[in-house]
Amino acid sequence: MLTPGVAHETLLSKRTLQLWAVTFLTCFGIASATAGLIEALFNDPFKPFGAYYLGAALLGCCTIATVRVWPRKSFSRYFPIPGTTITIVVGDLFDQDGHLIIGMNDTFDTDTGSVIAPHSIQGQMLAREYGGDVTWLDEEVEKALRDVPPTHVESRTDRPRGKLARYPVGTVAVIGERHRRFFCVAYSTTDNGHVVHSSLDDLWRSLSEIWKAIRLYGERRTVSVSVLGTGLARISNLPPGDLIRLILISYMAASREAVIADQLRLVIHPPLAANLNLQEIEDFLSAQ
């Protein structure tokens, strides 16, 4: 759930304060107009209770405005066309049911002992979904990629650690079981010094390929994704809020070609949510 720090920062943002003021003034205007109409029709019934009515109106308007802008840990919108729901959740990606989208690099490295950070999405998948068994995970990834030719195979001299075969950005390895698949997408490249790189073009191309794979293998079940591009493969020219909008736009555009899933769940890790105005994201989703 949202921490007090997240709620405090979001509530005090300029956009949220403006929305609170607009909501308050709108409610107060409606209350004033209603009181004026009742006064004209029923010969000033509020006269003995004017102060009480004013206090109740102010309290009610403040309550409505605060509820309107208070940050929530989740919100959804259903789109009749193309028949899908988008849900925004503040939480842990691996606590979600259904399928998961896992961002990976172009070599599909999995070893948290020497290449992959244990706290990364790949590292958490290995620990939490495969019990730390890197051999098991590698076998599944290799099986998923058996029909995909690599673009290049590094030498062990140039790349002392990690896997040697490089695959095109946008390659998706579908692993896991029917009820819980992992759509592992290479949306970044890793140089031989294990520095991760990605770009806006790489992310957009990868998202397009993800939706195609989910359409084929997801059976329209709920699929969850984190905010790709905010981890070690950070796309520095886009803030997290814009990355979220990009993911949502890509999903909606692809869904209008053909249905992908009954629900896309975009999961925002709590520390990242602390730097986001979730109300703006909810407004963006509502405007689509």
Side-chain angles (χ1 to χ4, degrees):
M1 61 181 296
L2 292 178
T3 63
V6 174
H8 180 266
E9 182 172 344
T10 302
L11 284 172
L12 292 182
S13 70
K14 181 179 179 181
R15 173 70 179 83
T16 302
L17 292 175
Q18 289 175 339
L19 180 61
W20 189 95
V22 169
T23 305
F24 174 83
L25 293 174
T26 300
C27 291
F28 192 73
I30 293 173
S32 299
T34 301
L37 179 62
I38 294 175
E39 180 180 355
L41 292 175
F42 299 101
N43 193 23
D44 199 11
F46 293 118
K47 187 173 183 179
F49 312 103
Y52 296 105
Y53 177 81
L54 178 61
L58 289 172
L59 179 60
C61 293
C62 285
T63 301
I64 292 172
T66 301
V67 170
R68 173 70 179 86
V69 303
W70 191 266
R72 292 181 282 168
K73 64 178 181 180
S74 68
F75 45 88
S76 300
R77 186 185 172 195
Y78 175 70
F79 296 86
I81 300 175
T84 189
T85 298
I86 294 179
T87 300
I88 309 296
V89 177
V90 176
D92 188 322
L93 178 67
F94 292 93
D95 286 343
Q96 313 305 313
D97 59 355
H99 307 316
L100 302 183
I101 295 171
I102 307 295
M104 300 187 79
N105 59 25
D106 62 332
T107 54
F108 287 89
D109 283 312
T110 55
D111 186 4
T112 56
S114 60
V115 181
I116 299 300
H119 65 273
S120 67
I121 294 296
Q122 303 102 297
Q124 291 184 63
M125 179 178 68
L126 173 62
R128 298 172 64 175
E129 302 289 344
Y130 286 84
D133 190 339
V134 69
T135 301
W136 178 18
L137 177 56
D138 280 343
E139 287 175 351
E140 288 213 4
V141 171
E142 288 169 11
K143 181 179 178 180
L145 296 174
R146 65 181 180 274
D147 296 326
V148 182
T151 57
H152 179 66
V153 178
E154 300 282 356
S155 70
R156 185 53 72 191
T157 301
D158 293 333
R159 188 174 172 83
R161 295 176 291 120
K163 297 181 180 180
L164 300 178
R166 294 189 179 276
Y167 293 87
V169 168
T171 298
V172 181
V174 183
I175 63 176
E177 302 297 330
R178 180 176 179 180
H179 70 284
R180 186 167 177 82
R181 297 196 188 280
F182 303 99
F183 293 87
C184 303
V185 59
Y187 81 101
S188 64
T189 59
T190 305
D191 62 28
N192 290 338
H194 300 288
V195 177
V196 184
H197 308 272
S198 190
S199 67
L200 184 58
D201 287 342
D202 289 341
L203 178 58
W204 184 262
R205 185 184 314 119
S206 299
L207 287 170
S208 298
E209 296 303 319
I210 288 170
W211 310 138
K212 292 176 185 177
I214 295 172
R215 194 181 286 129
L216 287 173
Y217 301 106
E219 299 180 336
R220 293 187 60 167
R221 299 179 187 223
T222 296
V223 60
S224 299
V225 62
S226 60
V227 187
L228 298 174
T230 58
L232 294 176
R234 180 170 179 79
I235 300 173
S236 58
N237 58 335
L238 273 186
D242 287 345
L243 289 171
I244 290 173
R245 294 179 182 88
L246 179 69
I247 294 170
L248 298 180
I249 290 171
S250 173
Y251 177 75
M252 286 302 298
S255 293
R256 289 191 170 110
E257 295 178 5
V259 177
I260 298 169
D262 287 338
Q263 178 179 209
L264 173 71
R265 189 183 293 133
L266 196 150
V267 184
I268 306 173
H269 199 46
L272 180 61
N275 298 313
L276 290 171
N277 188 322
L278 298 179
Q279 184 62 55
E280 289 186 351
I281 296 172
E282 183 175 5
D283 291 345
F284 173 80
L285 188 61
S286 299
Q288 300 308 301

